[in-house]
Amino acid sequence: SKMSVTLSSIGDGVITTDRDRRVTWINEVASAISGWSLEEAGGRPSDEVFAVFDEDTQAPVLDPIRACLLEGRAVALQPNSVLRQKSGTKIAVDDSAAPIIDDTGRAVGAVLVFRDVSNQRRLSRDIEYRATHDLLTGLLNRAEFENRLRRCLNDPIEKNASYLFFFDLDHFKRVNDTLGHDAGDRLLHKVGRTLRDIAGPNAHIARQGGDEYIVLRRVVGDDEAKKIAERICRAVSDIAIGGSDTADTPRIGVSGGIVNLGTPASEIGQYMRRADIAAYAAKKAGRGQVCLWTEDDAPMRTAATQLALVEQIERASADGTWVVHEQHIARIDLDNPSIAMHELLIRLPGKNG
């Protein structure tokens, strides 16, 4: 018939059924996608030939032909669906189904139009992954980590049961300088894998940038948080660097800062700052150490002041805001007046100039 010729010419898969959802026709594209020929599919229930599942949960998805006949209107397949082919392989599909109405307005069957969207879905997920992950380590990037931290802080139960960890590698620059950046990249990847192994599958872990890592995890109390951080520090210090272990092989360690998210703070940045300060205090305590942030702790206040100064110096070096003053030093010895002497003072402007 003209209808069959038309449907056979469509680039999408097409399946038609009667009012009892039994397959009456299937075009070549649908056969290629589903693995069912017209001879094999004819007379079978639609949800046997077009068996769809949720890709994440693997739970069966409502047969769109059943849905359109029940509702009397066109329906679309729920997002993130996969079709189980006759061979058992599952592929990503997108579809819509609509009832076939006769001259009296009665539904006499249904038509399903679908397509293979595996490549599009794979590309979309790759783009999403790249937008939320650090490609070197496979960990979360900072933006995605902050999104998850924000969701945690907005949930009072989750917030009060969670801790924020900040880890800063010690002597990482020596690895790059001695063994090269490829070795440094491999080390960063190994550190990320170590964090995943110890922090566990339910932890949110990110590479902060450079040689810094942050972890968000549910923990039962300060003591357990310290034990987890100490385990990570020991494991990282045991990581083999390069292909040899000699006296010239650089050694790394890691210092860790811990923040109990149950402590009050006005914004997400304040928690991140506290974790950074605690890690700096741990590094100043001798490296390879861990420190838990506490507001009224004197060493923590000292670390906060010192870290702020270090960051101010680094910013001035980066944007060239140092102010250089020169003053002439007059010689008392006039026997050799041709030798001029000057004193240079490098000053860091404060907030008020």
Side-chain angles (χ1 to χ4, degrees):
S1 67
K2 290 184 179 180
M3 180 63 70
S4 296
V5 172
T6 300
L7 294 178
S8 295
S9 302
I10 293 177
D12 295 333
V14 180
I15 296 175
T16 61
T17 73
D18 59 21
R19 71 177 71 181
D20 296 320
R21 299 186 299 106
R22 296 197 174 275
V23 174
T24 57
W25 188 80
I26 179 171
N27 72 353
E28 291 184 2
V29 176
S31 291
I33 296 175
S34 68
W36 291 87
S37 67
L38 176 57
E39 291 75 18
E40 294 168 328
R44 292 180 181 271
S46 59
D47 56 1
E48 180 181 351
V49 176
F50 192 78
V52 281
F53 300 82
D54 183 279
E55 187 171 13
D56 294 330
T57 67
Q58 296 302 306
V61 172
L62 178 63
D63 176 16
I65 289 180
R66 178 192 292 272
C68 82
L69 290 173
L70 286 174
E71 299 179 23
R73 63 179 181 84
V75 299
L77 188 65
Q78 75 173 45
N80 203 40
S81 295
V82 292
L83 167 67
R84 184 182 64 199
Q85 298 173 307
K86 185 185 176 187
S87 63
T89 303
K90 292 178 180 176
I91 61 170
V93 290
D94 183 23
D95 85 343
S96 62
I100 300 173
I101 309 298
D102 66 10
D103 294 339
T104 67
R106 188 171 60 117
V108 296
V111 58
L112 172 74
V113 180
F114 63 99
R115 64 193 63 84
D116 179 355
V117 293
S118 300
N119 289 336
Q120 296 95 312
R121 193 172 294 176
R122 190 179 302 114
L123 177 60
S124 175
R125 291 188 172 178
D126 183 59
I127 293 173
E128 181 182 353
Y129 181 87
R130 290 174 177 270
T132 57
H133 287 74
D134 171 59
L135 298 184
L136 176 61
T137 62
L139 302 175
L140 300 175
N141 60 25
R142 175 166 180 161
E144 177 61 18
F145 181 89
E146 290 186 357
N147 286 337
R148 299 189 185 192
L149 176 57
R150 189 172 291 107
R151 289 198 294 269
C152 172
L153 295 176
N154 289 333
D155 182 336
I157 295 177
E158 194 71 19
K159 174 180 181 292
N160 290 320
S162 299
Y163 281 71
L164 185 65
F165 300 79
F166 186 102
F167 295 100
D168 185 6
L169 296 185
D170 301 328
H171 308 303
F172 177 71
K173 185 176 183 300
R174 288 185 56 201
V175 177
N176 278 336
D177 293 344
T178 306
L179 301 177
H181 289 278
D182 287 344
D185 289 348
R186 289 193 297 272
L187 174 61
L188 292 175
H189 182 80
K190 288 180 179 178
V191 171
R193 192 169 58 202
T194 300
L195 287 169
R196 280 194 294 262
D197 290 343
I198 297 177
N202 295 323
H204 304 285
I205 309 170
R207 181 175 169 227
Q208 171 91 339
D211 57 357
E212 298 172 342
Y213 298 81
I214 40 180
V215 178
L216 172 63
R217 188 185 189 279
R218 287 177 67 101
V219 177
V220 183
D222 295 351
D223 290 341
E224 184 187 353
K226 289 179 181 178
K227 289 177 181 178
I228 292 171
E230 288 167 354
R231 282 183 59 203
I232 289 173
C233 288
R234 288 194 300 269
V236 169
S237 65
D238 290 338
I239 292 176
I241 304 174
S244 61
D245 187 12
T246 67
D248 297 329
T249 302
R251 299 283 178 178
I252 68 156
V254 64
S255 302
I258 311 167
V259 176
N260 181 346
L261 296 185
T263 56
S266 58
E267 58 180 4
I268 185 173
Q270 195 169 353
Y271 285 110
M272 298 285 282
R273 181 67 178 172
R274 289 172 179 176
D276 194 5
I277 291 170
Y280 185 81
K283 192 181 289 284
K284 296 297 288 184
R287 301 180 184 270
Q289 305 293 316
V290 298
C291 282
L292 176 69
W293 185 89
T294 50
E295 188 167 12
D296 55 355
D297 183 72
M300 206 64 63
R301 290 197 298 270
T302 300
T305 302
Q306 292 176 342
L307 181 59
L309 180 59
V310 168
E311 292 173 344
Q312 188 179 4
I313 292 172
E314 290 175 344
R315 284 195 300 270
S317 298
D319 56 28
T321 54
W322 291 108
V323 177
V324 180
H325 296 267
E326 176 189 10
Q327 63 181 13
H328 175 70
I329 299 178
R331 291 179 60 88
I332 298 177
D333 178 12
L334 299 179
D335 293 338
N336 193 0
S338 62
I339 300 178
M341 300 185 69
H342 301 266
E343 180 182 49
L344 297 179
L345 300 176
I346 302 177
R347 290 176 174 160
L348 181 64
K351 292 183 180 180
N352 299 321

